Amino acid sequence: MGSMFRGEEVALVQFFLPTPAAYTCVSQLGELGLTEFRDLNASVSAFQRRFVGDVRRCEELEKTFTFLQEEVRRAGLVLPPPEGRLLAPPPRDLLRIQEETDRLAQELRDVRGNQQSLRAQLHQLQLHSAVLGQGHHLPLAAAPTDGLLERSPLLQPPGGPHRDLRVNFVAGAVKPTKAAALERLLWRACRGFLIASFRETEQQLEDPVTGEPATWMTFLISYWGEQIGQKIRKITDCFHCHVFPFVEQEEGRLGTLQQLQQQSLELQEVLGETERFLSQVLGRVQQLLPPWQVQIRKMKAVYLVLNQCSVSATHKCLIAEGWCASSDLPTLQQVLQGSSSEAGVSAVVHRIPCRDMPPTLIRTNRFTASFQGIVDAYGVGRYQEVNPAPYTIITFPFLFAVMFGDVGHGLLMFLFALAMVLAENRPAVKAAQNEIWRTFFSGRYLLLLMGLFSVYTGFIYNECFSRATTIFPSGWSVAAMATQSGWSDAFLAEHPLLTLDPAVSGVFLGPYPFGIDPVWSLAVNHLSFLNSFKMKMSIILGVTHMTFGVVLGVFNHVHFGQWHRLFLETLPELIFLLGLFGYLVFLVIYKWLSVSAAGAAAAPSILIHFINMFLFSRSPTNQPLFPRQEVVQSTLVVLALATVPVLLLGTPLFLRWQHRRPLRPTGRQPEEDKSGILDDSDASVAGWGPDEEKAGCPGNGEEAEFVLSEVLMHQAIHTIEFCLGCISNTASYLRLWALSLAHAQLSEVLWAMVMRVGLRMGRELGVAAVVLVPIFAAFAGLTVAILLVMEGLSAFLHALRLHWVEFQNKFYLGSGYKLSPFTFAEED
C-alpha cells in the first residue's frame, strides 16, 4: 500500500540470456508481467532483425486463424474460450501447429468449394425444373391441331429464302428485380417480333451463395428469325439470366423434368454428406483453434521482445535491458535461473546505472483503480512524485457530495453502486459489452463513495428529496415568541409572516445538534440563510484544499533533497496563501464563534473588512472583530507582498550560486554535489523538471548548461501562476456554493410541480391512489434523469476540475509515463 502514496522504486536492469534458453526466459518473464523491455536495436530496421522470420511465420498463422475463425462464424458456430492457462509453446511446436493449421484450412477450402459447387448445380437443376414445370402456354404455332401444325400457313408460300424459317424458343429464369427491364428491352430491341411469358416461381429457392430463400421469375420467349434469336441471347446474357434448353413436345418436357428431379435427389444426398463432413471439420477447428490462437500470440510477443535484444560479441547470449520494480528483482532472478537451468548456463540479471527518468509504477486494486484513473487522466505522475490518488479517495467524493448533498438522491446512487459491487464477480456482468454500462461498472467504488458522502452532506443540509426532516427537536421555539410578544388573533390576521427574534428570551434554545435546523425550511429567508452559509463553507473548504496541496509539495522537496525549495518556494507560498485567504477563513470562523444570535444584527461585515485590508483603510460604520485588527491586516498584506520577490528570484539565484560553487575534490560524491548536478538540468528547463531532481540514477555524463534567463522565465511563470491562481482558484471553489444551491432549488421545483400537484388532486383514498401512481412514476423518472444523471454528471465534472486545476497544480506535475510491463495477461 506504500506505493499508493508514492510510486515504487524502479530500476534499470540488464539481462544476459543464454541463446538456447532465451525464448524460455522471455516467455516466463511474460507470464510474470513485471518487466518493461527497452529496444536496444532502435536503429535497426524491422526487416533486418534476428527473429523477423519467426515473427512472419506467426503472422501467417494468424492470417490462417482468421480464415478459420471466419468459417466458424459463417457456419453459425461460436469459438469456446480456451481452458486453463496456456504457456507459450516451444519453438519446435510451431512447425506442427503450422502443418495442422494448413491441413485444416485446406480441408475447409476443399469442402467449402465442393459444397458451393454442389449447391450451384442443385440450384441450376431446381431452376430448370421450375422453368419446365411452370406451365407457360406455348404460342399457337407450336400446338398441333388435327394433324396439321399451326406454324404451317394456310396458303403455301412461294419458294424463296425464308421458306425454311420456323418459330424457336428461349426459356430461363431471371431475378424479379430485373424482369421488367428485361421484358421492356426485349420488346424494344426486337421490335415486337417475339412473344414473351414471365411467371413467378411458386416456391422460393435457396440462394447457393447466401443460403437465403429467394423468388425467381421464369420466362419463355418464342421468336422467328435467327437474327432476333441472337439479339435475345445477347440480352439475356447481359441480364445474367439462367437459360435452359426447352423441348417443344409435352412428353419430352415431362421426361426431362423427371430426370431433373432424380438428379436433384442424388445431389441432395451428396450435399448432405458434404455438409456432415464440413461440420466434423468445423468441430475440430472449434476444439483446436482457441488454444492455438493464445499460444501463437504469446509466441509472437516473445519473438518481438527477442528482436529488441542485442547479441553479445561471442554470439552465445542475448543482452536485454528493461525497467522493473526493485522489489521484484529477487523474483526475476529466481525465475530466470529456473528457466535457463536446462541450457547449462544460468541467466543473469543485475542493475545498471542510468540518467533517464524511470517510468512510474503504482500498483492498484479494484477499489483504488478508478481513483488512480482520475489522476492519470490529468497526467501520469513523474517518477516517485507524490501521488494524489490516496487523498482523492476522500476529497473527490466529499467535494462531489457538497454540490450533490441530498439524502434521497445519495441513497439511490449508493444502492446502485452497491448492487454493482455485489455482482462484480458474475460472468454476465463482466462480459457486458455496453459502453455506458462498462463506464459505470469500472467506477462502481467511486460511485459508492460519492453516494455515501452525498447522504452525509444531505443530513448536514437536512434535505431528503428537497424535504426537511426533524430528527432532533428544533432549536427555535415559536411558543416562547408567541407568549412573550403577545400575539393576538388580530395581530396574526394582520401579519401573515411572523418573525422569530433570537434576542427574546427562550426563542433560540441553541444550535441544532447536527446540520441545518428544520425550522429554516419554513422560513421566507431560507434561501438567503443558505446562501451565506454555503458561500462561507465553500471558501473554507477551498482554502483548506489548496493549503493541503501546497503542504504535499513539501514531501516532494524532502524526498528529492531539494531543501532550498522548502524555504524559497513552499514557505513563501504558504505565507502568501494563508496570510490573505487563510486570514479570510479565520475571520469567518471567528465571527461564527464570537457573535451570538442576539447580536447578529450589529455584527460587522467580513467582506468590508477584507476590502479594507487591501486598501489599508478603515470604515467607521464597520466595527472591528477583535482589538488591533487593522495592524494585523496590514502586517499580513505586507508579508504577502514581500513573498513575491522571494518566489520570483530565490530559486534562480540559489541555482546560479550553486552552479558557480567550486567542485569538491574527487572521491565520494557528497549529497550536495549530487543535488547540484541535477539542479543544472532543472536550470536548463530540460530533463526531469524542477521537482524531480533526485529521482534518477546520475551517471558520469556532462553537466547540463546553466541558462539563467530560462530559469528566471520559468520561475516568473510559476510565481505569476501561483499568485494570481490563489485569487482565481479561491473564487473557483464558489462553484461548490452555486452547484449546491442549484441542486437544492431544482429538487424543490421538481417536488412542487409534480408531487405536490399530485397530492392535491385527490382527497379521497381511492382517487389519491389512482392519481399518485402515474404522478410518482413521473417524479421517479424525472428524479433519475435530471437530478441523478444530469446533475450528478455536472457535479462530477466540477469536482474533477477542482482536483485537476485547483488542487493538483500546487504540487503535481503529471508529466511522467507509466511502466508498461511485457505481460501475457491480455492474451490469457
Side-chain angles (χ1 to χ4, degrees):
M1 188 63 186
S3 64
M4 276 295 295
F5 296 93
R6 190 185 303 276
E8 293 190 27
E9 182 183 357
V10 176
L12 181 63
V13 295
Q14 191 175 48
F15 302 91
F16 289 91
L17 309 175
T19 303
Y23 178 90
T24 307
C25 292
V26 174
S27 174
Q28 291 299 321
L29 292 177
E31 297 293 342
L32 285 179
L34 300 176
T35 307
E36 177 184 353
F37 287 93
R38 302 175 70 185
D39 191 359
L40 302 182
N41 299 320
S43 60
V44 181
S45 171
F47 302 101
Q48 298 176 349
R49 302 198 179 190
R50 182 170 184 177
F51 299 94
V52 64
D54 300 285
V55 174
R56 286 178 178 173
R57 293 172 65 185
C58 293
E59 291 177 348
E60 292 297 329
L61 271 176
E62 287 181 340
K63 293 180 182 178
T64 308
F65 291 162
T66 302
F67 166 74
L68 296 176
Q69 190 171 356
E70 290 299 326
E71 289 295 327
V72 171
R73 290 178 181 175
R74 182 179 174 184
L77 304 176
V78 179
L79 287 175
E83 298 179 358
R85 187 175 183 180
L86 301 171
L87 301 177
R92 61 178 178 271
D93 289 352
L94 180 61
L95 182 60
R96 176 184 59 83
I97 296 176
Q98 187 174 11
E99 291 177 351
E100 294 183 10
T101 303
D102 292 340
R103 185 173 65 253
L104 281 176
Q106 189 60 40
E107 287 183 0
L108 270 179
R109 291 189 184 96
D110 295 341
V111 176
R112 185 69 74 179
N114 294 337
Q115 183 191 36
Q116 292 295 333
S117 176
L118 292 173
R119 282 184 175 181
Q121 295 179 22
L122 180 61
H123 187 255
Q124 290 290 328
L125 293 177
Q126 291 174 344
L127 278 179
H128 196 178
S129 301
V131 170
L132 296 181
Q134 194 67 18
H136 289 277
H137 293 290
L138 293 176
L140 295 177
T145 55
D146 298 334
L148 298 175
L149 294 177
E150 283 287 341
R151 67 170 61 96
S152 300
L154 296 177
L155 298 176
Q156 293 296 330
H162 300 287
R163 65 179 182 271
D164 296 330
L165 294 180
R166 54 192 296 267
V167 176
N168 296 309
F169 301 92
V170 175
V174 68
K175 292 183 178 180
T177 56
K178 301 178 181 180
L182 174 64
E183 185 176 6
R184 192 161 50 247
L185 184 58
L186 285 172
W187 180 262
R188 292 176 180 175
C190 300
R191 300 181 181 180
F193 288 99
L194 56 82
I195 300 175
S197 173
F198 286 83
R199 287 195 178 185
E200 188 175 340
T201 56
E202 297 176 356
Q203 296 180 353
Q204 291 184 334
L205 303 180
E206 182 180 353
D207 190 276
V209 179
T210 62
E212 297 179 357
T215 303
W216 288 80
M217 293 289 292
T218 60
F219 58 85
L220 178 62
I221 303 171
S222 58
Y223 63 91
W224 179 77
E226 186 61 30
Q227 293 183 354
I228 294 180
Q230 292 178 0
K231 289 183 180 181
I232 293 174
R233 282 188 287 272
K234 289 181 180 180
I235 292 173
T236 54
D237 289 342
C238 291
F239 278 84
H240 302 286
C241 301
H242 299 272
V243 179
F244 307 102
F246 185 81
V247 182
E248 298 181 13
Q249 289 77 16
E250 184 71 24
E251 295 81 5
R253 289 201 301 272
L254 293 177
T256 304
L257 186 60
Q258 291 178 357
Q259 293 179 3
L260 292 175
Q261 292 175 350
Q262 182 65 28
Q263 292 177 8
S264 298
L265 293 176
E266 294 175 356
L267 270 179
Q268 288 176 357
E269 293 181 1
V270 177
L271 183 60
E273 292 294 332
T274 304
E275 290 179 346
R276 280 190 289 272
F277 181 71
L278 177 62
S279 63
Q280 294 177 4
V281 177
L282 291 175
R284 296 206 307 272
V285 172
Q286 277 186 296
Q287 181 182 1
L288 298 175
L289 186 57
W292 283 352
Q293 286 179 318
V294 175
Q295 289 178 322
I296 294 303
R297 281 200 297 266
K298 288 186 176 183
M299 179 179 285
K300 179 183 175 182
V302 171
Y303 282 126
L304 289 175
V305 171
L306 290 176
N307 275 336
Q308 297 178 355
C309 303
S310 61
V311 184
S312 64
T314 60
H315 295 274
K316 293 183 179 179
C317 67
L318 297 179
I319 303 174
E321 291 182 4
W323 301 102
C324 74
S326 300
S327 57
D328 295 330
L329 284 177
T331 305
L332 290 179
Q333 184 66 55
Q334 182 179 0
V335 169
L336 290 177
Q337 289 178 355
S339 302
S340 59
S341 58
E342 297 181 357
V345 181
S346 177
V348 178
V349 55
H350 65 92
R351 299 180 64 162
I352 58 176
C354 68
R355 290 189 65 90
D356 297 334
M357 183 180 68
T360 301
L361 173 61
I362 298 176
R363 304 183 197 267
T364 59
N365 51 38
R366 62 179 66 180
F367 176 75
T368 60
S370 56
F371 298 96
Q372 189 64 50
I374 290 176
V375 175
D376 291 343
Y378 173 81
V380 179
R382 298 173 75 86
Y383 178 62
Q384 291 201 327
E385 186 178 15
V386 170
N387 182 25
Y391 317 105
T392 305
I393 294 176
I394 300 299
T395 59
F396 188 91
F398 178 72
L399 291 183
F400 171 86
V402 170
M403 296 178 281
F404 195 76
D406 191 286
V407 175
H409 302 155
L411 186 61
L412 291 177
M413 182 178 293
F414 174 80
L415 293 177
F416 173 66
L418 183 62
M420 290 192 291
V421 170
L422 296 178
E424 63 183 2
N425 293 324
R426 295 183 180 179
V429 176
K430 292 182 178 181
Q433 298 298 324
N434 185 276
E435 186 176 355
I436 297 178
W437 166 257
R438 292 181 69 87
T439 302
F440 281 114
F441 185 74
S442 61
R444 57 193 180 279
Y445 288 100
L446 177 62
L447 291 174
L448 187 74
L449 290 186
M450 286 162 53
L452 189 61
F453 276 79
S454 297
V455 172
Y456 168 73
T457 54
F459 278 117
I460 292 180
Y461 298 156
N462 202 351
E463 291 184 0
C464 181
F465 296 109
S466 76
R467 300 291 91 195
T469 57
T470 306
I471 303 176
F472 305 102
S474 175
W476 293 82
S477 175
V478 180
M481 188 69 189
T483 302
Q484 299 190 27
S485 299
W487 289 347
S488 61
D489 293 341
F491 180 84
L492 296 176
E494 295 177 359
H495 297 80
L497 298 178
L498 303 175
T499 302
L500 298 180
D501 188 0
V504 177
S505 176
V507 175
F508 182 68
L509 306 177
Y512 196 65
F514 185 81
I516 303 296
D517 197 305
V519 75
W520 283 104
S521 63
L522 306 175
V524 177
N525 59 339
H526 176 220
L527 189 60
S528 300
F529 169 75
L530 287 183
N531 261 334
S532 177
F533 167 73
K534 292 184 177 180
M535 180 170 57
K536 296 174 182 177
M537 176 196 65
S538 301
I539 295 297
I540 294 174
L541 293 177
V543 174
T544 304
H545 201 208
M546 291 189 295
T547 305
F548 180 60
V550 175
V551 171
L552 285 179
V554 174
F555 297 96
N556 275 336
H557 303 328
V558 172
H559 179 78
F560 297 128
Q562 300 169 320
W563 301 99
H564 62 279
R565 294 188 182 274
L566 291 177
F567 303 100
L568 299 178
E569 290 186 7
T570 304
L571 185 60
E573 288 175 354
L574 286 175
I575 293 175
F576 186 89
L577 177 61
L578 297 179
L580 299 181
F581 301 99
Y583 174 71
L584 177 62
V585 172
F586 166 77
L587 291 180
V588 172
I589 298 176
Y590 185 84
K591 183 178 177 180
W592 281 348
L593 298 177
S594 61
V595 178
S596 62
S605 172
I606 295 177
L607 181 60
I608 295 179
H609 276 306
F610 197 63
I611 294 174
N612 291 335
M613 176 181 176
F614 292 96
L615 298 178
F616 294 97
S617 63
R618 59 175 301 178
S619 177
T621 59
N622 198 47
Q623 298 299 321
L625 282 172
F626 55 89
R628 303 187 65 82
Q629 181 179 357
E630 296 178 5
V631 176
V632 173
Q633 292 181 166
S634 300
T635 304
L636 291 177
V637 172
V638 170
L639 283 176
L641 294 177
T643 59
V644 176
V646 177
L647 274 173
L648 182 62
L649 302 174
T651 299
L653 294 179
F654 176 82
L655 293 177
R656 184 172 181 270
W657 169 80
Q658 191 178 45
H659 181 75
R660 291 190 173 186
R661 186 176 52 178
L663 297 177
R664 302 289 183 87
T666 57
R668 182 180 180 271
Q669 185 182 19
E671 189 68 20
E672 295 81 18
D673 292 347
K674 186 176 181 181
S675 175
I677 291 175
L678 294 170
D679 273 335
D680 294 339
S681 63
D682 166 48
S684 60
V685 199
W688 289 46
D691 290 331
E692 283 74 28
E693 295 176 354
K694 283 186 60 181
C697 310
N700 298 322
E702 297 181 358
E703 294 186 15
E705 182 183 359
F706 180 82
V707 183
L708 181 61
S709 60
E710 292 186 2
V711 179
L712 284 172
M713 182 66 69
H714 182 271
Q715 193 65 24
I717 294 173
H718 171 75
T719 303
I720 296 173
E721 181 181 11
F722 178 82
C723 295
L724 296 182
C726 285
I727 303 173
S728 62
N729 293 349
T730 305
S732 180
Y733 277 94
L734 293 176
R735 69 184 68 237
L736 299 174
W737 158 52
L739 268 292
S740 175
L741 284 178
H743 185 80
Q745 291 304 303
L746 197 57
S747 301
E748 177 67 28
V749 169
L750 188 61
W751 175 272
M753 298 186 65
V754 180
M755 284 301 296
R756 184 177 296 172
V757 174
L759 293 173
R760 290 178 177 176
M761 288 181 65
R763 298 293 182 181
E764 299 180 2
L765 181 62
V767 176
V770 173
V771 170
L772 284 180
V773 171
I775 292 295
F776 181 77
F779 177 75
L782 292 174
T783 298
V784 173
I786 298 177
L787 296 179
L788 287 182
V789 178
M790 294 178 60
E791 280 287 310
L793 180 60
S794 175
F796 179 89
L797 294 177
H798 284 284
L800 200 64
R801 183 248 156 73
L802 290 177
H803 278 78
W804 282 357
V805 179
E806 278 71 30
F807 173 60
Q808 291 182 185
N809 71 345
K810 299 295 186 296
F811 66 98
Y812 186 71
L813 289 181
S815 55
Y817 62 102
K818 280 186 178 181
L819 178 72
S820 302
F822 169 63
T823 177
F824 291 148
E826 295 182 359
E827 281 75 7
D828 290 331

